[in-house]
Amino acid sequence: MISFEHVTKRYEVAERPAVDDLTIDVPDAMVTILIGPSGSGKSTTMRMVNRLIEPTSGVVRLGGADVRDLDVEDLRRGIGYAIQGVGLFPHWTVHENVGVVPWLLKWPQPKIDARVRDLLDLVGLEPDVYDGKYPDELSGGEAQRVGVARALAADPPVLLMDEPFGAVDPLTRDRLQAEFTKIQQALRKTVVFVTHDIDEALKLGDRIAIMREGRLVQFDKPECVIAYPADDFVSDFVGSERALKRLSLARVAGVASETATNDWAASVPRSATLREALARILETGEREIGVSDESGNIIGSVGLEDVFAHFERPVE
Amino acid sequence: MARRSGVHKVGVAAGAFGLLAACALPFVVLRSSRIDSGVDLWVWQALPPWAVVVLAVPWLVVIALSLRDRRDRVFAAARGLAASAAIVVALGLAGFAASHLLPGAGTFARVSVGGSVWVMAFFGYVVVLSARRELEGAPVLAWSISLAAPVLIIVMLVTGWLDDLGVMVEYENQKERFWEQAAVTLLVAASAIVIAAFIGVGLGLLAYLRRRTDRAIFTAVNIFQTVPGLAMIGLLIGPLAALANAVPELRALGIGGLGWAPLIIALTLYALLPIVRNSFEGLRSVSPAAKDAGRGMGMSRAQLMRRIELPIARPVIFSGIRTSSVQAVGNSILGAFLGGIGLGFFVLQGMSAQSTDLILLGSISIVIMALVVDGVMRLVEHVLTPKGLRSKEANRP
Ligand SMILES: Nc1ncnc2c1ncn2[C@@H]1O[C@H](COP(=O)(O)OP(=O)(O)OP(=O)(O)O)[C@@H](O)[C@H]1O
Ligand SMILES: [Mg+2]
């Protein structure tokens, strides 16, 4: 749906381009993470999609059309936009903030009202409580939820999110990420998501684009980025504990083996990650533990051998 | 203002100065005629002993309430009320003294308010202001404290308690003229502010939207601000007189070197700086994130300005207009030098008649008008502030 073809952006003052000959096809209905160190051109790349920035050369396409051929306001109203600073309008209530794009699209008021309530529900904010609040009455986490709800308001097929969970404590961020995953599983939007937190990228991304000094260094599935980093820069960026990170991308369900006995000293749910299973194994001192389904019945087992086997299997 | 120290410094200091002023400066001046230089009468000469005690009591209360600096609204309110009482009592007793001194002093005798009353009123006002600031979270209390003295003074004026003071005698002599001139002052100041608001907000917008222009705009507007009042008038008289000579139609409209035209122009030029500055700063204070979000979600430039930037900047812009309005009313005294336009008329009259009471009538009523305008505009400002921005209101100058 979104594609960049040899896109370069050069700011007047800078000696090197902020984005340098970027070519990338953003897959539909997936979360594509743009990640890289500060100044690597992530925001610039993202903002060229909704034409907040115009490329110096190259073409950005949306649904096949050059974005420069689309009416700029229509284009923007059709794309959800959430940013790190959240940028809620301080003189508007939560309701008015969330309803801004539908309002720009001239939806009838009752439809906007109903939509806003649904969205507040969706992002986990009780509509009756939050509807009439002003941004300065919200905590950082609540404000970011409102920011996400606002981006989703007109049900756009494409979402641009620039560090939307940047300014909150780790616990709140975990919760927001979990909710985002849930929402995305239901809505299946095409999401471009900027972050510089590798754990967030691995957790949320279907694809990860790693950028450095305006250039695309690697564009891959999270598993492949960890297993086969393109160069030293990427492996540095992914950081130490690559093995553990790889384990946290695999679910127990995928590696568990059939078992005859139900008699295990410990067990993990099948939705757990391999990393969690390994932790459980180490904590209990068992070489193998049970795997349970949603209702707690043992359906298999997972052991140290499975963990090793997982590493030997190639990542595709 | 240090709150942690043992005493409430403002309260104690203002209380002490109030008492000192009562003793060290003349309470009233008795003149045999309106232009006589007169004899100074001190408190104990002008008032019977019981009245001297009554005069001192509110000040002692202010000091007593300030010996401990409690962060307590009740204490702040009580201090403000006592200070209001001090102002009212001082003025009231001056009126009382006048009523008792006049009968024995001859037909043309006048009693003017002396320095001690003014200084007491000043320090009383200082205490009221500081109490008001401490009552920030309690608007009803804050407003009652600020209005206590004005309301009581109005009551004294209406009931005739102050009628024997020289200022009031002058007022009584020219009652109709007074209200006429007051109306002219308001009209002139209001015209200047309306013109300055249009030009000023326009220039502020221009400076904000076209960044290259801001330097030139602020330099120009700053220059007006630095020209002293009389010099400004002097500079305007010549060109306007020449213009009126050249175009008789303008003269027929009343435009000329003297009169309301140069006064309105001068007041307008002075009013520009606060309005331009606040418009510019108010717009610049809109968070970049909010502007980016607005643009990114598909607002047009005009929608962004009308729905986001201007509403967020509006309280700041209006506070600039308020500052300018108060200044414009104050500066309207320049009308004295333009043939006596507005309340400056009495200042002009007083100067030629060498009557301090007349000068006072003109100047004190301008001060009062400025205070009233400030109060009314603050109220409007509060109403105009969008709800989500009200928590920041207290931080605005
Ligand atoms: N408006 C601008 N004018 C000039 N240079 C700019 C402008 N915006 C960004 N740049 C430069 O372009 C480069 C890329 O900036 P960009 O904002 O895309 O980085 P980023 O990857 O989003 O970084 P961060 O993680 O800090 O947000 C940086 O070197 C930055 O200094
Ligand atoms: Mg960025």
Side-chain angles (χ1 to χ4, degrees):
Chain A
M1 184 165 281
I2 305 170
S3 57
F4 292 80
E5 296 168 8
H6 300 289
V7 172
T8 295
K9 173 66 191 180
R10 193 180 284 279
Y11 289 108
E12 276 163 40
V13 283
E15 75 262 29
R16 71 164 176 82
V19 173
D20 196 355
D21 194 26
L22 181 82
T23 298
I24 193 171
D25 266 315
V26 176
D28 287 0
M30 286 192 186
V31 178
T32 298
I33 305 277
L34 296 179
I35 191 168
S38 202
S40 55
K42 308 180 294 290
S43 301
T44 304
T45 302
M46 200 196 77
R47 292 157 64 85
M48 284 190 287
V49 176
N50 61 358
R51 287 180 62 189
L52 286 168
I53 295 173
E54 304 277 354
T56 313
S57 65
V59 179
V60 181
R61 292 189 189 278
L62 181 72
D66 184 339
V67 291
R68 274 170 299 188
D69 296 336
L70 305 173
D71 176 75
V72 67
E73 277 142 30
D74 290 343
L75 169 78
R76 289 175 183 165
R77 288 169 195 177
I79 296 176
Y81 186 55
I83 50 176
Q84 168 164 16
V86 191
L88 295 182
F89 306 127
H91 58 310
W92 285 2
T93 58
V94 166
H95 185 100
E96 292 165 320
N97 267 285
V98 174
V100 61
V101 179
W103 169 75
L104 285 168
L105 292 170
K106 305 207 162 59
W107 287 17
Q109 196 57 45
K111 191 176 163 197
I112 298 182
D113 295 343
R115 178 72 183 153
V116 168
R117 296 182 68 84
D118 288 349
L119 281 164
L120 289 179
D121 248 343
L122 184 71
V123 298
L125 296 174
E126 174 57 47
D128 288 329
V129 178
Y130 288 94
D131 207 63
K133 286 205 182 202
Y134 283 91
D136 70 348
E137 300 168 309
L138 302 175
S139 72
E142 289 163 350
Q144 302 213 305
R145 285 160 200 254
V146 175
V148 171
R150 184 172 66 171
L152 290 168
D155 200 17
V158 175
L159 276 181
L160 304 178
M161 310 181 88
D162 195 345
E163 303 193 39
F165 309 138
V168 287
D169 61 281
L171 257 161
T172 309
R173 187 183 316 182
D174 274 347
R175 273 224 314 278
L176 289 169
Q177 287 166 346
E179 273 161 30
F180 173 78
T181 308
K182 225 169 63 199
I183 293 172
Q184 172 61 7
Q185 268 161 10
L187 302 181
R188 293 274 160 218
K189 305 279 182 195
T190 302
V191 182
V192 178
F193 191 112
V194 170
T195 180
H196 47 224
D197 174 357
I198 185 71
D199 292 314
E200 183 167 75
L202 295 173
K203 204 182 293 182
L204 302 183
D206 298 305
R207 293 289 182 277
I208 297 182
I210 299 169
M211 296 185 67
R212 179 191 193 185
E213 298 187 345
R215 279 188 297 274
L216 183 64
V217 186
Q218 186 169 5
F219 181 47
D220 241 328
K221 290 183 187 167
E223 299 82 1
C224 300
V225 168
I226 295 175
Y228 314 117
D231 59 14
D232 289 350
F233 171 77
V234 177
S235 68
D236 279 354
F237 200 80
V238 173
S240 55
E241 301 176 353
R242 266 174 49 209
L244 288 178
K245 282 174 182 156
R246 196 170 156 191
L247 284 185
S248 40
L249 288 174
R251 300 276 158 195
V252 169
V255 298
S257 42
E258 296 277 324
T259 172
T261 164
N262 280 348
D263 192 21
W264 299 102
S267 71
V268 287
R270 66 174 165 193
S271 61
T273 64
L274 264 190
R275 182 177 179 154
E276 285 161 341
L278 179 65
R280 198 87 186 98
I281 287 171
L282 294 174
E283 280 160 18
T284 55
E286 303 283 325
R287 298 193 72 82
E288 189 145 8
I289 57 175
V291 174
S292 59
D293 64 9
E294 282 67 28
S295 39
N297 303 319
I298 298 296
I299 53 161
S301 70
V302 62
L304 275 177
E305 295 310 317
D306 300 307
V307 175
F308 285 120
H310 176 72
F311 271 94
E312 276 149 27
R313 214 178 304 154
V315 178
E316 71 282 351
Chain B
M1 210 83 70
R3 292 220 166 106
R4 250 151 277 140
S5 68
V7 297
H8 188 281
K9 285 181 188 159
V10 173
V12 170
F17 281 124
L19 280 179
L20 190 68
C23 308
L25 293 167
F27 188 64
V28 290
V29 184
L30 178 62
R31 306 175 205 277
S32 57
S33 74
R34 103 201 264 209
I35 57 164
D36 178 33
S37 59
V39 262
D40 293 336
L41 295 180
W42 265 255
V43 176
W44 49 90
Q45 298 167 313
L47 292 175
W50 64 264
V52 176
V53 175
V54 171
L55 183 72
V57 165
W59 289 111
L60 295 172
V61 174
V62 168
I63 295 175
L65 286 172
S66 308
L67 286 179
R68 281 270 185 76
D69 182 13
R70 305 192 203 214
R71 294 193 194 189
D72 190 328
R73 280 188 184 163
V74 178
F75 267 76
R79 205 180 294 124
L81 270 186
S84 302
I87 299 172
V88 172
V89 166
L91 199 59
L93 287 177
F96 173 80
S99 308
H100 283 256
L101 289 168
L102 275 186
T107 347
F108 301 110
R110 291 291 169 85
V111 176
S112 305
V113 176
S116 84
V117 176
W118 299 125
V119 177
M120 279 191 272
F122 170 75
F123 284 110
Y125 186 59
V126 167
V127 176
V128 172
L129 273 188
S130 94
R132 214 194 126 115
R133 204 162 304 142
E134 286 162 54
L135 291 171
E136 209 125 70
V140 177
L141 261 185
W143 276 100
S144 338
I145 297 299
S146 335
L147 288 179
V151 166
L152 288 173
I153 291 172
I154 290 172
V155 169
M156 287 197 296
L157 286 170
V158 171
T159 54
W161 183 260
L162 303 176
D163 278 0
D164 291 320
L165 285 174
V167 188
M168 290 310 290
V169 176
E170 298 297 350
Y171 164 74
E172 206 55 47
N173 286 345
Q174 310 193 57
K175 223 186 213 163
E176 270 165 39
R177 188 77 209 234
F178 175 85
W179 289 110
E180 249 175 62
Q181 298 295 341
V184 170
T185 295
L186 257 182
L187 206 65
V188 164
S191 318
I193 288 302
V194 170
I195 300 170
F198 274 105
I199 301 176
V201 175
L203 288 177
L205 262 172
L206 184 67
Y208 173 71
L209 292 174
R210 301 261 174 281
R211 278 300 154 80
R212 300 251 160 75
T213 62
D214 61 351
R215 179 86 52 95
I217 289 173
F218 276 102
T219 310
V221 173
N222 264 311
I223 286 177
F224 296 139
Q225 206 71 12
T226 57
V227 180
L230 283 178
M232 173 80 88
I233 294 232
L235 289 173
L236 286 172
I237 288 179
L240 277 172
L243 187 70
N245 273 339
V247 189
E249 290 82 10
L250 288 181
R251 175 171 301 250
L253 282 174
I255 293 173
L258 295 181
W260 54 265
L263 185 56
I264 289 184
I265 294 176
L267 296 186
T268 303
L269 294 180
Y270 282 130
L272 282 177
L273 179 63
I275 299 179
V276 177
R277 195 211 301 118
N278 279 38
S279 306
F280 182 68
E281 294 299 341
L283 288 167
R284 281 216 314 185
S285 74
V286 179
S287 87
K291 285 186 281 193
D292 187 58
R295 240 159 48 87
M297 285 183 304
M299 289 192 180
S300 66
R301 189 72 196 83
Q303 278 171 330
L304 193 67
M305 180 53 75
R306 213 164 85 78
R307 303 289 179 172
I308 307 297
E309 296 174 293
L310 276 178
I312 294 177
R314 190 170 58 202
V316 182
I317 297 177
F318 196 83
S319 126
I321 294 180
R322 170 171 58 82
T323 309
S324 286
S325 305
V326 174
Q327 275 180 16
V329 170
N331 286 335
S332 75
I333 199 149
L334 289 173
F337 305 101
L338 289 167
I341 303 297
L343 289 166
F345 170 81
F346 298 105
V347 177
L348 181 70
Q349 224 185 26
M351 286 191 299
S352 53
Q354 294 185 348
S355 156
T356 33
D357 286 332
L358 258 179
I359 297 178
L360 205 62
L361 179 64
S363 48
I364 196 91
S365 44
I366 283 178
V367 172
I368 291 170
M369 191 182 282
L371 290 177
V372 172
V373 166
D374 187 55
V376 172
M377 303 269 287
R378 270 179 202 278
L379 214 61
V380 178
E381 199 175 312
H382 177 73
V383 174
L384 281 183
T385 302
K387 255 192 176 165
L389 300 173
R390 289 215 175 139
S391 63
K392 295 195 189 92
E393 207 173 14
N395 306 329
R396 201 178 314 126

